[in-house]
Every structure is written in structure tokens, then in C-alpha cells.
Amino acid sequence: MRRHLLLSTLFVASLFGGLGAAVALESGPPASTKDKLSFLPGSFQILGVTPEQTAGRFHDPISDFGLNPAVLIFTRAEPDQLTKGHDLSKLIKQLDEVVGKYPEVQLGGCVVFMNDGGYRDAVQDNSKKDELPKAIEFKDRRQQQIKDFAKNIGLEHVALGIGTVASPEKYNINPNAELTVLVCNRLQVAANFAYGKDEKPDATAIMDSINKMLPAKK
């Protein structure tokens, strides 16, 4: 009887323990494995903020990268909340420093802030023209916030832009993902990291995956 009771208790504990286990958040194209390669779904458009040559116009960061190694960061964070000490700010700054350290590799870096206040839809959809003034106001404010963020943490190399809340369409960015990081090389997804709103990004793991694409400094 005791043995039966003990086994029943262990079974219930294991059942509830399994239910409480955290499920890894999935967002964006998966990383390649030994058995299956995974590639970026294609090009997409963002509204450029920095550098100056792309500021204020829609452009495709994938075309900018070409076949060079690259890091794409999609975030729902508010740029005016990203202080120097914020985990995402520190990650982006680390990426910026690595890009500057390896000019011969032509490592690309782009951060997409995923909220344009409906600007792109209002510009492209005639049925939403009445929403354009408000969308422009939001877009202008967001651009300035991002410029201030770049200046505050001293960015020099990583490009910053604005995307829609759901963009890019084919990339399947999880609506619950506060941060999605794609590490790529020759359009192949080498690593994928996704984090919810209250999760701290693993900067060490992300930077390790980036460093694997870079030559050793003598």
C-alpha cells in the first residue's frame, strides 16, 4: 500500500512538474541544423533611421548585407526606454564594437524597431489616407527617439530602422517575442534567439554565435 501511494505521489509530482516546465519561445526562421539548412525567407523593407544614407527612406537590409555574415535584431522595445544600462542596449553596443573591429569581414548589423504607428500602411493603402497625419506624427517621434538612442550609447556601425508591428511578413516573428535575434551567413540562419517581454537576452550565447563567423585576431 505504501509503495503504491509513493508511486502515485511521484507520478503526480512529475506530471505537474512537466506542466510547469518553461517552453522555449520560437520566433523567426529556425537555425540550421546538421541535417537541415535554414535560410532567410527573403528581402523585406524597413524605414531607415541610421546610417544617414538610408535615413527617411524604405530599404532592404538583406540587400545591404549581401552574402556577408550579418545579425538581424527585431525588437518591440521602446527606444526611449533603452538606457545605456539596459540589457538590449549593451547587446547592441557589443555588436557595434564587433562590426567595427572586423571591417575586412564586412559583418552587417541591423536593429528593427517593430512599430511604425501604422505609417507604412497609411502611405501604401489609399483607404487609410485619413490616418496618415497621425501616423506621420508617430513616425517622426519614433525616428527621433531612435536617433537619440544611437547617440546615447555611441553607435557607429549598426544600422537602425523601423518596421511594422508584424513585419517582416514571411519571417514569422512571434507576437509574444520582445526580442528576436538572427545570426546569419550567406543568407543561412546560423543561430536564432528569441525572448519574451520579461526575459533577459543571453548576450554571451549570442556573441559566441557571432564570433564563430569571425577570424581569430592575431
Side-chain angles (χ1 to χ4, degrees), residues 35-182:
D35 301 319
K36 185 177 181 181
L37 298 181
S38 175
F39 293 89
L40 295 174
S43 61
F44 62 93
Q45 298 283 315
I46 61 172
L47 181 63
V49 178
T50 68
E52 192 61 38
Q53 55 263 39
T54 62
R57 66 180 180 86
F58 289 105
H59 73 99
D60 171 27
I62 304 302
S63 296
D64 294 342
F65 297 151
L67 295 178
N68 297 317
V71 182
L72 280 168
I73 297 177
F74 299 95
T75 180
R76 302 185 193 282
E78 294 293 326
D80 59 338
Q81 301 298 311
L82 296 179
T83 61
K84 280 187 178 181
H86 194 284
D87 292 323
L88 180 55
S89 299
K90 291 189 285 187
L91 174 62
I92 295 172
K93 180 61 176 177
Q94 282 184 275
L95 173 60
D96 192 73
E97 291 172 349
V98 169
V99 173
K101 186 178 178 181
Y102 294 89
E104 72 279 9
V105 177
Q106 299 185 56
L107 173 65
C110 180
V111 180
V112 181
F113 289 90
M114 297 180 66
N115 187 359
D116 66 351
Y119 174 72
R120 182 166 183 170
D121 285 346
V123 167
Q124 296 181 339
D125 188 344
N126 286 327
S127 68
K128 297 183 178 181
K129 290 298 182 184
D130 291 344
E131 302 173 14
L132 189 55
K134 185 177 180 180
I136 291 175
E137 182 180 346
F138 181 95
K139 182 266 297 182
D140 290 344
R141 183 169 63 252
R142 178 53 51 97
Q143 283 179 313
Q144 189 58 54
Q145 290 171 344
I146 294 173
K147 288 178 181 178
D148 292 343
F149 161 71
K151 183 178 180 180
N152 184 44
I153 68 172
L155 291 185
E156 298 181 14
H157 309 287
V158 172
L160 306 177
I162 306 172
T164 64
V165 170
S167 70
E169 183 178 348
K170 296 179 181 179
Y171 279 61
N172 295 320
I173 303 300
N174 193 318
N176 295 318
E178 180 79 358
L179 177 65
T180 304
V181 181
L182 303 177

